[in-house]
Amino acid sequence: LTFLLGYDTLERFFALRYYAKDPSSDATTQMQTALRGFFVPPSEGDGSRIVCAKRSPESYPKASVVPNASATSSTDTDSLTSTITQLFSALSLPMSECVKMIGIGEDIWTVSSSDIRGAIEKGEDRWTSMVSPRVREYIRKEGLYREKV
C-alpha cells in the first residue's frame, strides 16, 4: 500500500515520542521494531510506502526525540530527515523507495489542510481560494468541517 501524508503527519509518523512505550528500551529501537513490518517487502511485511508533498523548507517541523532516550542529542531534537535516514539505515531498507517527497510547486506551499478546516469551522470564506472548485463544491454539499450542532 502507498499512503499519502501531509508533512505534519509525516513528522508525527516518525516522531520518536509516539514509539516510547517501554521505559526499559530506547525510543529509537521501539520505533524501528514498530515500523519494520510496515516497510519491509511483502515477503516479510506489508511493503508499504509513503508519499508526501514537499512544502517550503522553512515550514518543516523538527522531529522530536524523547528526552532521556539513549539516542538523545544534547539539544533534545533531531531533524526529521536525520530520524528517517537513521531508521532506514537500521532496517537496511532504501529510504528513497519507502518515502518519496514530491514537489507541489511554490504557489501552493502555504496551503495547509489544517488552515482550510479551521477557516471553515470559523465560518471564514478565505478557505474557498485555497481549494479547487470541485473540492469547494464537495465540501459545501457535504457540510464538511462545520461545527456539529
Side-chain angles (χ1 to χ4, degrees):
L1 282 174
T2 298
F3 293 86
L4 304 175
L5 303 181
Y7 195 87
D8 295 343
T9 303
L10 182 72
E11 186 275 333
R12 288 188 300 276
F13 188 87
F14 288 107
L16 292 174
R17 67 183 175 272
Y18 295 115
Y19 299 95
K21 307 291 184 213
D22 179 0
S24 67
S25 175
D26 71 87
T28 301
T29 301
Q30 292 177 66
M31 180 174 72
Q32 291 168 357
T33 300
L35 294 181
R36 179 171 181 61
F38 183 79
F39 287 110
V40 296
S43 60
E44 300 175 48
D46 297 334
S48 297
R49 303 291 177 253
I50 292 175
V51 174
C52 180
K54 290 184 199 177
R55 292 192 330 206
S56 167
E58 293 78 39
S59 71
Y60 289 176
K62 300 284 186 190
S64 297
V65 173
V66 177
N68 302 321
S70 65
T72 303
S73 69
S74 60
T75 62
D76 286 337
T77 58
D78 204 11
S79 71
L80 179 58
T81 301
S82 177
T83 300
I84 295 171
T85 301
Q86 290 172 15
L87 170 71
F88 287 103
S89 176
L91 297 178
S92 299
L93 293 170
M95 185 175 86
S96 63
E97 292 181 22
C98 297
V99 178
K100 298 232 186 248
M101 300 296 289
I102 58 171
I104 58 173
E106 291 183 36
D107 56 328
I108 57 174
W109 269 355
T110 60
V111 175
S112 161
S113 58
S114 297
D115 288 344
I116 294 167
R117 288 189 302 272
I120 294 169
E121 288 170 359
K122 293 175 186 172
E124 300 171 355
D125 286 332
R126 65 183 176 86
W127 71 271
T128 60
S129 65
M130 302 166 84
V131 298
S132 70
R134 291 179 71 189
V135 169
R136 186 170 44 249
E137 180 183 328
Y138 183 82
I139 289 171
R140 284 180 170 150
K141 178 182 170 199
E142 297 298 323
L144 301 178
Y145 315 119
R146 300 269 181 218
E147 188 175 324
K148 305 287 187 226
V149 182

